[in-house]
Amino acid sequence: MARLGKARQGKARQGLFNLIKKMKRLLVISDTHCGHVAGLTPPQWQLNEFEASSTKRNKWAILQRELWTKFINILEKNKPFDYCFHMGDMIDGKGTRSGGVEQVTTDRSDQSDMMVHIFAEIRQRANKKYHSVAVFGTDYHVSNEGGEDWEEIIKERAGLDKIGNHEWVNINGCIFDLKHHIAGSTIPHGRFTAQAREKLWNVLWAERDYVPNAHVILRGHVHYFAYCGSPGWVAMTLPALQGMGTRYGARRFSGLVDWGVTIFDIDEKGQFDWRSVTMNIDAQKAKVLKF
């Protein structure tokens, strides 16, 4: 009996091992905005902190270190990855609307170097058969408002499989619908309407046999995580990897911003589990003036 029990345990372990081998892990990231002081910034481009400084430089230096450390910790805790999707706005661009004062560098080639470095960090924590797909972000940030596509250049330099305006990816039979842009909402309970609308349009396009009927709708752009769905599908907007602090956001908007990534596990039959790995950023807690 004892021997039989051990044999069954061994088969159970082997079955679990085979199941895990067939599971595919997908990392979804969005809105890194490399080049902005609050963007995801690898160490060699981070600002230095000065003890005697009373400027905002120290604030951004502290934030950049925290964001990078938390990002690497997320990768380490959730590796290895089989796929990576980037949902657009890889770089921040020249920052012309703010006169470039919010940029670590306005050189989009340097900003592209940052993003290539980020993709390299992910690839280091990936399985051998690894694939990566991206979609184009907002023209203002990534293509000089309609000019050259810097994300296309990053795609080539980082070795991504594909980048496009609107992409569909099949992982074990689970269809993902990828696009950067989606409407935002200024009210908390309105954040789900645009996602439901995206799924409805997907169904209508699929009815005409132009696109596949997607199980997962993914969108970036709005810098907050929210989702809706029903049995068989889910639609979500993704957290950003840019921290808070842009002039535009700070002066015009009230809504919550989410920082982090989203992870999917897809089994051999196309069934999927997902989780949003989001967290608060200590460096961005508001400080109350007291006199």
Side-chain angles (χ1 to χ4, degrees):
M1 291 295 291
R3 289 180 181 175
L4 184 59
K6 288 181 179 179
R8 286 177 176 171
Q9 288 176 13
K11 288 181 179 179
R13 290 195 198 98
Q14 185 62 43
L16 179 60
F17 177 72
N18 290 337
L19 178 63
I20 292 172
K21 279 178 63 179
K22 293 176 181 178
M23 293 284 285
K24 300 298 181 183
R25 174 155 290 185
L26 162 66
L27 171 70
V28 186
I29 63 176
S30 189
D31 294 274
T32 40
H33 287 271
C34 293
H36 190 276
V37 286
L40 188 61
T41 310
Q44 54 267 54
W45 289 278
Q46 290 174 11
L47 297 173
N48 294 319
E49 185 180 355
F50 296 105
E51 292 183 8
S53 176
S54 60
T55 68
K56 292 182 180 179
R57 182 186 181 92
N58 281 0
K59 167 188 170 182
W60 300 124
I62 293 168
L63 173 64
Q64 289 166 9
R65 287 202 306 273
E66 182 179 353
L67 295 184
W68 184 256
T69 299
K70 287 185 172 178
F71 176 68
I72 294 299
N73 286 342
I74 289 172
L75 296 185
E76 283 294 315
K77 289 179 181 178
N78 293 281
K79 67 181 185 182
F81 305 104
D82 298 286
Y83 299 87
C84 175
F85 297 162
H86 194 300
M87 300 304 301
D89 282 358
M90 295 184 188
I91 65 173
D92 198 64
K94 287 184 171 293
T96 53
R97 294 175 190 171
S98 62
V101 298
E102 296 183 274
Q103 313 307 103
V104 175
T105 173
T106 58
D107 188 327
R108 287 167 296 178
S109 181
D110 286 344
Q111 294 178 3
S112 298
D113 287 343
M114 297 181 199
M115 191 65 239
V116 171
H117 182 97
I118 292 166
F119 278 125
E121 292 284 353
I122 297 169
R123 187 179 288 274
Q124 287 176 15
R125 296 162 175 85
N127 285 319
K128 188 173 182 180
K129 294 182 179 180
Y130 167 75
H131 296 282
S132 50
V133 177
V135 288
F136 291 111
T138 307
D139 288 349
Y140 168 71
H141 293 297
V142 301
S143 62
N144 197 26
E145 301 193 60
E148 68 280 358
D149 282 314
W150 282 91
E151 288 172 319
E152 181 76 58
I153 296 169
I154 295 169
K155 176 256 180 188
E156 294 297 327
R157 293 178 55 195
L160 307 187
D161 292 279
K162 181 73 184 296
I163 187 169
N165 296 310
H166 196 165
E167 295 294 329
W168 292 264
V169 183
N170 184 331
I171 301 178
N172 285 354
C174 180
I175 306 297
F176 291 83
D177 177 320
L178 286 61
K179 196 173 184 180
H180 177 70
H181 284 281
I182 189 171
S185 178
T186 58
I187 54 175
H189 54 283
R191 287 186 165 186
F192 314 101
T193 303
Q195 299 163 29
R197 183 178 65 213
E198 291 292 296
K199 176 54 184 172
L200 178 56
W201 278 121
N202 169 250
V203 170
L204 293 174
W205 279 96
E207 282 291 317
R208 295 197 183 185
D209 201 28
Y210 281 115
V211 304
N213 195 339
H215 303 96
V216 183
I217 307 287
L218 298 176
R219 299 292 185 265
H221 188 57
V222 291
H223 292 219
Y224 57 71
F225 175 73
Y227 67 94
C228 68
S230 65
W233 68 273
V234 64
M236 60 180 68
T237 54
L238 300 164
L241 283 172
Q242 180 185 31
M244 298 178 290
T246 67
R247 284 187 178 183
Y248 183 72
R251 297 180 182 184
R252 298 193 180 204
F253 295 108
S254 302
L256 288 169
V257 172
D258 295 311
W259 186 92
V261 308
T262 307
I263 294 171
F264 288 82
D265 289 307
I266 307 102
D267 70 17
E268 61 182 327
K269 296 180 180 179
Q271 300 296 312
F272 61 89
D273 290 318
W274 61 270
R275 63 186 182 278
S276 177
V277 184
T278 57
M279 56 191 67
N280 289 341
I281 305 303
D282 296 332
Q284 299 205 294
K285 291 181 180 179
K287 293 179 174 59
V288 179
L289 292 176
K290 185 178 180 180
F291 298 105

